[in-house]
Amino acid sequence: MSTCHFTVGQAIVEFLIAQHAERDGVTRPFFEGVFGIFGHGNVAGLGEALLAARHRLRFYLPRNEQAMVHTAAAFAKMHNRLQTFACTSSIGPGATNMVTAAAGATINRVPVLLLPGDIFATRRSAPVLQQLESSSSLDVSVNDCFKPVSKFWDRINRPEQLAPSLLEAMRVLISPGETGAVTIALPQDVQAEAFGFPAELFEKRTWHVPRRRADAGAVEAAVDLLKSSTRPFLIAGGGVIYSEACDALRRFVERTGMAVGETQAGKGALPFDHPQSAGAVGVTGTSTANRLARDADVVVVVGSRLSDFTTASSSAFANPGVRFISINVAELDAFKRGAIPLVGDARVTLDELETGVRGFRVSDAYARDVREWKAEWEAETDRLFRGTGASVLSQAEVIGTLNAALDPRDVIVCAAGSLPGDLHKLWRSRDAKGYHMEYGYSCMGYEIAGGLGVKLAAPDREVFVLVGDGSYLMMAQELATAIQEGVKITVVVFDNRGFSSIGGLSASVGCAGFGTEYRRRDASGDLDGESLSVDFAANAASLGAKATKAADAGSLRRAIADARAARETTVIVVPVDRNARVPGGERYESWWDVPVAETSTLKAVRDARSVYEQGRRRQRFLL
Ligand SMILES: Cc1ncc(C[n+]2csc(CCOP(=O)(O)OP(=O)(O)O)c2C)c(N)n1
Ligand SMILES: [Mg+2]
């Protein structure tokens, strides 16, 4: 057996270079490169290996470890999970900075490989700088924190352990049903240790990404159920887009006449103006989709986790006899809500269902409802896009202005605050990859880092990051990384001086927006003083971006046109009215479960509690 005398760090880098993913006959390198921030935990091991191999595997220096994992996750999402980055950190804080974004990747089911440095395997230098000591075990490090947020976790204490661990890591990363964050913790001494690795480990390896077929009996049962339905409804999740199943979805619904509601991750599966697109479904859904969900007797779920936002906290489906058919690559998802589980790839399974249900078509009455409710919704969107006429723009008007100004293939990127709900409802998607929303973890701070990942994945598209002032203040520093890489993104900051989303939510639970506005502390000791003004344009300019302010629709249109024409990263700051919120909830036939205090000295809370208790009666178990 021929061997290669490599350090563990070198072996990992050579292995990463050799991995490829193949689906539908197209093969690409699985790792685009490595993001990393060095410290004593990785500078000499992986650091040396990355230096030596830098022209074969590109190294990227971000500003924050959490951000680099967001960037990797966004890149992987944009590539439908067929390509990603590895991320390396030092030990201690560098490593734990990655935990948040690792959870995000796992929740969103996108592959990222994390390589945190770890404490000495020999323990001779313990406690090393940044080591967490435990009084109950010497086999504990902060990297144990990655276990619950990783789909595969390992620590390499001996070089001999590396090869099987790397292969397991790839099995999970490549698996459509299993994928998420994968963590291989690397003690700093082991990283630098040399060993005779089998040469085979470094040969080009192509991992076939399967399109698994669902069980034939289950498909038959699903076909029978669907054929017997009178008010069927389809929920399209992210799995439709990852599987590149949008054409299959369109064929299936055009043949049957079913309408489609989209989750955040599935938005864009059908273009907004397709006659059977009911738009967003759930808590942040349209009245069209929510009425269809309410009345449905059969719900076909495709590639969705069915989170509370999609099921309106288990209140969306009011038909007493409602049954579910679920097409999902992960059993965990396919079995939810007592569905007939079609554990398989969205594209091939939709094609099989389409063949099975030939001859079945929804009634004219159903088709008329879809048409009328959809027209009603488009009119509502137009109304909101027109704005309030006030001197400060409403968020809906800014969204409408952006929607009109952007090209169909441009990508918007967003994650947290009031924007995701407003965009889910109002954004008129025209391209399956044009709406990039991280709403599995809805992690403030994902936006700019994620935008960078999207642009790295799709350099031929214009990328517009839509970010609230709160999220911007949490993680804006990756603007410097975008400048460093010459990667152009456009960032639109929605400045409403604090948390409009949580402020509204707080008011709805009787808490008057407590702790959600950016204000100075006042004489009485409360945070109710003068509004804090942050100069976001100056902040962005200081990081190297072109920066501009746009306070009205006309200057916003001009700023967007300038940003599009520019070669550099641009930040456009738009003041928005925090109180001009896009409606939701009851108004669009939905509900979200946020428990209100059961007892309180505040009347507003007691009132909110009784409204809450009414809402809770809509919840169903759906077992
Ligand atoms: C990391 C993180 N912390 C807290 C939250 C809870 N949260 C959701 S939205 C939000 C406020 C966002 O503020 P901003 O970005 O200004 O958006 P706005 O609500 O004003 O639209 C908070 C605190 C979160 N989603 N992520
Ligand atoms: Mg805000």
mmCIF file of all heavy atoms in Angstrom, residues 495-514:
data_model
loop_
_atom_site.group_PDB
_atom_site.id
_atom_site.type_symbol
_atom_site.label_atom_id
_atom_site.label_comp_id
_atom_site.label_asym_id
_atom_site.label_seq_id
_atom_site.Cartn_x
_atom_site.Cartn_y
_atom_site.Cartn_z
ATOM 1 N N ASP A 495 -33.550 51.501 8.264
ATOM 2 C CA ASP A 495 -33.289 52.102 9.580
ATOM 3 C C ASP A 495 -34.590 52.555 10.229
ATOM 4 O O ASP A 495 -35.190 53.557 9.823
ATOM 5 C CB ASP A 495 -32.317 53.281 9.419
ATOM 6 C CG ASP A 495 -31.974 53.904 10.774
ATOM 7 O OD1 ASP A 495 -32.373 53.339 11.817
ATOM 8 O OD2 ASP A 495 -31.304 54.952 10.788
ATOM 9 N N ASN A 496 -35.023 51.822 11.250
ATOM 10 C CA ASN A 496 -36.214 52.237 12.003
ATOM 11 C C ASN A 496 -35.894 52.340 13.496
ATOM 12 O O ASN A 496 -36.760 52.230 14.341
ATOM 13 C CB ASN A 496 -37.392 51.290 11.747
ATOM 14 C CG ASN A 496 -37.010 49.841 12.001
ATOM 15 O OD1 ASN A 496 -36.046 49.577 12.723
ATOM 16 N ND2 ASN A 496 -37.743 48.918 11.429
ATOM 17 N N ARG A 497 -34.593 52.517 13.784
ATOM 18 C CA ARG A 497 -34.115 52.762 15.156
ATOM 19 C C ARG A 497 -34.573 51.710 16.157
ATOM 20 O O ARG A 497 -35.180 52.011 17.179
ATOM 21 C CB ARG A 497 -34.498 54.160 15.601
ATOM 22 C CG ARG A 497 -33.967 55.176 14.596
ATOM 23 C CD ARG A 497 -33.827 56.533 15.145
ATOM 24 N NE ARG A 497 -33.224 57.398 14.122
ATOM 25 C CZ ARG A 497 -32.976 58.671 14.281
ATOM 26 N NH1 ARG A 497 -33.275 59.249 15.411
ATOM 27 N NH2 ARG A 497 -32.412 59.357 13.328
ATOM 28 N N GLY A 498 -34.277 50.502 15.817
ATOM 29 C CA GLY A 498 -34.563 49.422 16.756
ATOM 30 C C GLY A 498 -35.317 48.292 16.107
ATOM 31 O O GLY A 498 -35.282 48.113 14.889
ATOM 32 N N PHE A 499 -36.036 47.564 16.937
ATOM 33 C CA PHE A 499 -36.654 46.309 16.507
ATOM 34 C C PHE A 499 -38.139 46.517 16.223
ATOM 35 O O PHE A 499 -38.969 46.329 17.112
ATOM 36 C CB PHE A 499 -36.536 45.242 17.599
ATOM 37 C CG PHE A 499 -35.146 44.996 18.132
ATOM 38 C CD1 PHE A 499 -34.974 44.363 19.369
ATOM 39 C CD2 PHE A 499 -34.016 45.347 17.412
ATOM 40 C CE1 PHE A 499 -33.708 44.105 19.865
ATOM 41 C CE2 PHE A 499 -32.738 45.092 17.906
ATOM 42 C CZ PHE A 499 -32.585 44.474 19.148
ATOM 43 N N SER A 500 -38.471 46.850 14.998
ATOM 44 C CA SER A 500 -39.889 47.030 14.669
ATOM 45 C C SER A 500 -40.652 45.717 14.861
ATOM 46 O O SER A 500 -41.760 45.686 15.387
ATOM 47 C CB SER A 500 -40.014 47.521 13.227
ATOM 48 O OG SER A 500 -41.321 47.373 12.785
ATOM 49 N N SER A 501 -40.040 44.619 14.436
ATOM 50 C CA SER A 501 -40.707 43.308 14.508
ATOM 51 C C SER A 501 -41.057 42.956 15.951
ATOM 52 O O SER A 501 -42.216 42.741 16.299
ATOM 53 C CB SER A 501 -39.789 42.231 13.947
ATOM 54 O OG SER A 501 -38.518 42.311 14.583
ATOM 55 N N ILE A 502 -40.038 42.928 16.792
ATOM 56 C CA ILE A 502 -40.264 42.500 18.168
ATOM 57 C C ILE A 502 -41.017 43.581 18.938
ATOM 58 O O ILE A 502 -41.751 43.290 19.883
ATOM 59 C CB ILE A 502 -38.934 42.112 18.865
ATOM 60 C CG1 ILE A 502 -38.143 41.109 18.003
ATOM 61 C CG2 ILE A 502 -39.179 41.534 20.252
ATOM 62 C CD1 ILE A 502 -38.842 39.793 17.750
ATOM 63 N N GLY A 503 -40.854 44.828 18.505
ATOM 64 C CA GLY A 503 -41.628 45.910 19.113
ATOM 65 C C GLY A 503 -43.117 45.677 18.904
ATOM 66 O O GLY A 503 -43.921 45.798 19.839
ATOM 67 N N GLY A 504 -43.488 45.317 17.669
ATOM 68 C CA GLY A 504 -44.888 45.035 17.366
ATOM 69 C C GLY A 504 -45.369 43.811 18.114
ATOM 70 O O GLY A 504 -46.490 43.784 18.654
ATOM 71 N N LEU A 505 -44.528 42.801 18.170
ATOM 72 C CA LEU A 505 -44.893 41.567 18.866
ATOM 73 C C LEU A 505 -45.086 41.846 20.359
ATOM 74 O O LEU A 505 -46.054 41.381 20.976
ATOM 75 C CB LEU A 505 -43.773 40.526 18.655
ATOM 76 C CG LEU A 505 -44.019 39.137 19.208
ATOM 77 C CD1 LEU A 505 -45.228 38.491 18.549
ATOM 78 C CD2 LEU A 505 -42.774 38.261 18.985
ATOM 79 N N SER A 506 -44.170 42.651 20.904
ATOM 80 C CA SER A 506 -44.243 43.012 22.319
ATOM 81 C C SER A 506 -45.564 43.734 22.616
ATOM 82 O O SER A 506 -46.249 43.424 23.599
ATOM 83 C CB SER A 506 -43.035 43.897 22.669
ATOM 84 O OG SER A 506 -43.244 44.562 23.882
ATOM 85 N N ALA A 507 -45.927 44.653 21.724
ATOM 86 C CA ALA A 507 -47.200 45.370 21.925
ATOM 87 C C ALA A 507 -48.361 44.383 21.883
ATOM 88 O O ALA A 507 -49.306 44.479 22.672
ATOM 89 C CB ALA A 507 -47.364 46.443 20.860
ATOM 90 N N SER A 508 -48.275 43.388 20.984
ATOM 91 C CA SER A 508 -49.402 42.457 20.829
ATOM 92 C C SER A 508 -49.536 41.512 22.035
ATOM 93 O O SER A 508 -50.593 40.928 22.233
ATOM 94 C CB SER A 508 -49.263 41.647 19.532
ATOM 95 O OG SER A 508 -48.304 40.625 19.691
ATOM 96 N N VAL A 509 -48.466 41.368 22.823
ATOM 97 C CA VAL A 509 -48.589 40.543 24.035
ATOM 98 C C VAL A 509 -48.750 41.424 25.282
ATOM 99 O O VAL A 509 -48.594 40.966 26.417
ATOM 100 C CB VAL A 509 -47.397 39.553 24.206
ATOM 101 C CG1 VAL A 509 -47.356 38.576 23.050
ATOM 102 C CG2 VAL A 509 -46.065 40.280 24.369
ATOM 103 N N GLY A 510 -49.023 42.694 25.032
ATOM 104 C CA GLY A 510 -49.329 43.606 26.139
ATOM 105 C C GLY A 510 -48.115 44.273 26.751
ATOM 106 O O GLY A 510 -48.220 44.920 27.787
ATOM 107 N N CYS A 511 -46.949 44.128 26.123
ATOM 108 C CA CYS A 511 -45.719 44.631 26.750
ATOM 109 C C CYS A 511 -45.206 45.943 26.168
ATOM 110 O O CYS A 511 -44.059 46.344 26.443
ATOM 111 C CB CYS A 511 -44.636 43.563 26.708
ATOM 112 S SG CYS A 511 -45.054 42.139 27.727
ATOM 113 N N ALA A 512 -46.038 46.601 25.342
ATOM 114 C CA ALA A 512 -45.809 47.996 24.947
ATOM 115 C C ALA A 512 -44.474 48.258 24.248
ATOM 116 O O ALA A 512 -43.942 49.364 24.313
ATOM 117 C CB ALA A 512 -45.939 48.901 26.185
ATOM 118 N N GLY A 513 -43.905 47.251 23.614
ATOM 119 C CA GLY A 513 -42.649 47.482 22.894
ATOM 120 C C GLY A 513 -41.438 47.602 23.800
ATOM 121 O O GLY A 513 -40.372 48.065 23.385
ATOM 122 N N PHE A 514 -41.591 47.156 25.049
ATOM 123 C CA PHE A 514 -40.517 47.282 26.048
ATOM 124 C C PHE A 514 -39.178 46.728 25.533
ATOM 125 O O PHE A 514 -39.085 45.593 25.053
ATOM 126 C CB PHE A 514 -40.937 46.519 27.314
ATOM 127 C CG PHE A 514 -39.863 46.427 28.370
ATOM 128 C CD1 PHE A 514 -39.429 47.571 29.036
ATOM 129 C CD2 PHE A 514 -39.292 45.201 28.700
ATOM 130 C CE1 PHE A 514 -38.443 47.489 30.015
ATOM 131 C CE2 PHE A 514 -38.311 45.112 29.682
ATOM 132 C CZ PHE A 514 -37.891 46.263 30.333
#
